[in-house]
Amino acid sequence: MIYTLCFYLFATITVFSAIMVIASRNPVHSVLYLILAFFNSAGLFVLLGAEFVAMILVIVYVGAVAVLFLFVVMMLDIDYSEMRKGFQKYLPIGGLIGLVLLAELVLVGFGWGLGGPVTSDPATAIPALSEMTNTEALGSVIYTKYIFLFQMAGLILLVAMIGAIVLTHRKRPGVKKQNINKQVMRRREEAFEIVKVKPGQGLG
Amino acid sequence: MADLLVEFFHWAFGMTLAPDLATILGIVAGILAIVLPLLIVVAMSVYMDRKVWASMQMRRGPNVVGPWGLLQSFADGLKLFLKETIIPASANKFVFLLAPGLTFLLALVGWAVIPFDAGMVLADLNVGILYLFAISSLGVYGIILSGWASNSRYAFLGALRSAAQMVSYEVSIGFVLVTVLMCAGSLNLSEIVMAQKDTFLGVNGYWFTPLFPMLIVFFISALAETNRPPFDLPEAEAEIVAGYQVEYSSMAFALFFLGEYANIILMCAMTSILFLGGWLPPFEWEPLYLIPGWVWFFGKIFFMFFVFAWVKATVPRYRYDQLMRLGWKVFLPLSLLWVVLTGLFLLLTDKIPA
């Protein structure tokens, strides 16, 4: 009973907040609903027994990605009525894309029900939860059979990251930066000079 | 612990209540058994904090309310409770009130996986350490939301500083966690504690092992993560008055305050579990095991909390660019290097835990 209750609780909130992401007027509220949706999907993963994926979802998406979203959205100065102006114009194409996605989802559902080759012939047998925690199970697959794909995904992300930094990084002239090494290495002799000033004459 | 309580409730009310209800009651009792003492500990830790600073600065500290000033925190709490909650006119009301609640809630939720003694844990998760990491990474929301919802420049500045700071130091904390769990071979906190048994000549915990530098990195990152001095730039009373807390009064402020201290104690508990051997006595010596494990655990938390207070009393605040430099240019490469070294060490000495 508790399990079912939890499932319906998480599922309802996920769907509701997913709708609110696109329905709420304030973009910051949208991001907050997105976070709520992530969080509740993590809850659904826990119910499925996929605790590792659930935690990673929270750490990566809620803890890092959504923070950046929120960061950007908070800084924006948006005129909400201005943003809604073109809404009607894009309705046909938006609706079309929505329909295509819906059709695909339905097809996937049917495919699952019919028991296609994907479900009957899993790529790698996953041991039962009682034998191995799913962190171990994932690790033993990712770092053996799929090591090259895994490393490649990592490399692609690294390239994307370096690319973004290179594209946005610019060297501006005249920026004063602290050079800690230079600061620490400075001796008293370089720093100041003691001058004997005669009264009434100044330094000249 | 939760299992025991659940069993007890089944035994006590199994006849009169539905079994599921008895289970839920057992879990709620377990939660209360942690949260209520925790709140008292938080109140007393504020007192201890103030007393430690006071002695280090040759003052007396709180000494009027109750014997030795012991009731000071409760008096402060009562005062805050009786004050009026002021919500700024241009604030986003819902988010404004959500933020302190969220901070407080997250600070309490983390305690669910902390093992106080062998088997004395509310939820013995397989991925306990990831859970703690996830919860501590959510802590940034309370601050970011309060800063935004207050609709005040100081609060917003504080929130932005805090967001950048917490995200930066989380990265190094993550790598430090990886080094520890490589040595322990588990993500379960109880197993991490047991892996620290007798690490070096009968000493429990990672005191005299190559992981010791990571303890320091973790501790400093924990200071930054909890916005404690020298990394309290989000509050920085000298420049942005009190940062994200500027507009808060009464209970909303009290919730921030309590959440902050509950978070600090949680970080102390995490340090004790990850590096100092949790509930294990400091040395492998049979008579030390006569003292119950939770006493050792609380002692270690107490010690770590003292170090937190010590740091606050003695060091000046960092400048913001120095803070970022420390996080990204010092701790991140260092902890990353340590991950590689630890892996290499475990591989070469054939000590990889099964």
Side-chain angles (χ1 to χ4, degrees):
Chain A
M1 188 192 82
I2 300 173
Y3 183 89
T4 329
L5 260 180
C6 286
F7 171 78
Y8 281 110
L9 184 76
F10 288 137
T12 324
I13 297 177
T14 307
V15 173
F16 167 75
S17 46
I19 291 169
M20 286 310 287
V21 171
I22 50 172
S24 65
R25 289 180 167 271
N26 189 333
V28 173
H29 288 175
S30 286
V31 178
L32 292 181
Y33 276 116
L34 184 67
I35 293 162
L36 192 62
F38 281 146
F39 205 76
N40 282 283
S41 344
L44 288 175
F45 274 123
V46 170
L47 287 185
L48 283 173
E51 73 258 354
F52 183 76
V53 183
M55 292 306 151
I56 292 298
L57 185 74
V58 175
I59 292 170
V60 175
Y61 282 89
V62 184
V65 175
V67 172
L68 293 181
F69 269 21
L70 207 58
F71 218 97
V72 173
V73 168
M74 277 179 181
M75 302 284 230
L76 296 178
D77 184 23
I78 310 170
D79 185 1
Y80 304 127
S81 54
E82 187 74 21
M83 232 173 67
R84 302 236 155 212
K85 254 185 188 164
F87 192 68
Q88 301 281 334
K89 206 169 67 187
Y90 295 113
L91 193 61
I93 189 159
L96 190 72
I97 294 173
L99 271 180
V100 171
L101 278 176
L102 183 70
E104 281 179 345
L105 273 177
V106 170
L107 282 177
V108 167
F110 270 118
W112 188 273
L114 292 173
V118 179
T119 45
S120 64
D121 179 27
T124 311
I126 299 161
L129 276 178
S130 51
E131 286 170 36
M132 205 184 245
T133 65
N134 59 50
T135 316
E136 270 180 288
L138 272 175
S140 60
V141 177
I142 286 180
Y143 291 103
T144 53
K145 206 170 168 182
Y146 299 111
I147 180 75
F148 290 114
L149 291 172
F150 182 67
Q151 292 287 342
M152 208 151 71
L155 269 182
I156 290 170
L157 284 175
L158 185 68
V159 169
M161 190 179 84
I162 293 173
I165 293 171
V166 167
L167 284 177
T168 52
H169 187 75
R170 62 198 164 107
K171 275 224 157 66
R172 280 181 299 176
V175 177
K176 284 182 180 166
K177 268 195 184 147
Q178 185 180 23
N179 186 341
I180 290 180
N181 230 347
K182 211 173 139 192
Q183 247 179 4
V184 174
M185 295 300 285
R186 205 159 91 132
R187 296 290 115 205
R188 201 178 74 173
E189 292 76 42
E190 312 161 33
F192 54 104
E193 183 187 1
I194 296 173
V195 186
K196 286 244 187 292
V197 185
K198 279 178 186 157
Q201 286 186 3
L203 277 180
Chain B
M1 185 175 65
D3 303 337
L4 275 178
L5 283 166
V6 167
E7 245 170 63
F8 169 76
F9 272 84
H10 274 278
W11 170 78
F13 303 109
M15 294 292 139
T16 49
L17 292 175
D20 278 344
L21 203 62
T23 309
I24 292 175
L25 276 179
I27 293 170
V28 170
I31 293 170
L32 288 180
I34 290 176
V35 167
L36 295 181
L38 178 67
L39 289 179
I40 294 172
V41 166
V42 165
M44 293 323 289
S45 69
V46 177
Y47 168 78
M48 174 184 161
D49 223 6
R50 294 175 65 177
K51 273 288 190 197
V52 171
W53 306 332
S55 343
M56 286 191 188
Q57 296 159 356
M58 301 217 283
R59 295 183 285 117
R60 279 169 193 265
N63 63 351
V64 175
V65 190
W68 306 291
L70 273 172
L71 299 176
Q72 181 66 47
S73 308
F74 299 100
D76 288 345
L78 193 68
K79 185 194 80 177
L80 281 173
F81 192 69
L82 293 175
K83 281 195 165 183
E84 181 191 357
T85 307
I86 298 167
I87 300 175
S90 56
N92 188 319
K93 272 199 196 70
F94 178 70
V95 180
F96 186 79
L97 292 176
L98 173 77
L102 194 69
T103 305
F104 184 63
L105 186 80
L106 287 174
L108 296 186
V109 158
W111 287 89
V113 292
I114 298 287
F116 296 93
D117 199 343
M120 201 167 150
V121 48
L122 185 67
D124 199 15
L125 292 191
N126 283 330
V127 287
I129 192 162
L130 285 180
Y131 174 86
L132 273 180
F133 190 50
I135 294 298
S136 71
S137 72
L138 290 182
V140 64
Y141 282 109
I143 292 172
I144 232 183
L145 290 180
S146 64
W148 177 77
S150 301
N151 211 346
S152 148
R153 285 176 181 77
Y154 289 128
F156 195 58
L157 272 176
L160 289 185
R161 283 183 178 189
S162 170
Q165 174 181 327
M166 288 171 95
V167 170
S168 311
Y169 278 85
E170 230 150 63
V171 184
S172 60
I173 286 195
F175 281 122
V176 172
L177 294 186
V178 171
T179 55
V180 173
L181 59 91
M182 274 203 298
C183 295
S186 171
L187 295 168
N188 181 298
L189 290 174
S190 305
E191 280 172 38
I192 288 174
V193 170
M194 287 323 282
Q196 292 169 45
K197 210 169 176 169
D198 199 2
T199 49
F200 177 79
L201 297 179
V203 176
N204 291 326
Y206 290 130
W207 283 109
F208 300 103
T209 63
L211 273 186
F212 185 70
M214 287 297 101
L215 165 61
I216 309 229
V217 171
F218 184 83
F219 176 70
I220 298 175
S221 304
L223 287 175
E225 189 80 359
T226 48
N227 296 323
R228 281 282 282 199
F231 307 109
D232 60 341
L233 286 125
E235 299 177 25
E237 69 281 348
E239 18 183 330
I240 50 173
V241 271
Y244 60 94
Q245 297 170 344
V246 164
E247 307 290 345
Y248 284 89
S249 60
S250 174
M251 274 321 277
F253 175 77
L255 285 180
F256 264 127
F257 199 75
L258 292 175
E260 202 173 293
Y261 270 87
N263 250 330
I264 290 165
I265 304 172
L266 182 67
M267 278 296 175
C268 295
M270 254 173 101
T271 320
S272 336
I273 287 172
L274 293 176
F275 293 100
L276 310 184
W279 67 77
L280 297 171
F283 309 105
E284 279 298 296
W285 187 45
E286 217 35 62
L288 289 180
Y289 278 93
L290 293 176
I291 300 170
W294 56 269
V295 175
W296 288 118
F297 184 57
F298 286 162
K300 283 168 186 173
I301 293 180
F302 191 80
F303 170 70
M304 286 315 297
F305 190 80
F306 172 75
V307 182
F308 262 76
W310 184 5
V311 169
K312 176 160 182 171
T314 47
V315 293
R317 186 177 294 136
Y318 256 64
R319 207 172 61 202
Y320 199 73
D321 62 316
Q322 292 172 331
L323 171 96
M324 282 296 153
R325 174 180 168 272
L326 184 69
W328 289 106
K329 293 189 180 169
V330 180
F331 281 178
L332 177 62
L334 182 67
S335 52
L336 194 57
L337 176 74
W338 225 263
V339 170
V340 176
L341 287 182
T342 312
L344 210 63
F345 174 78
L346 291 176
L347 197 70
L348 291 181
T349 53
D350 205 21
K351 276 182 181 164
I352 299 172

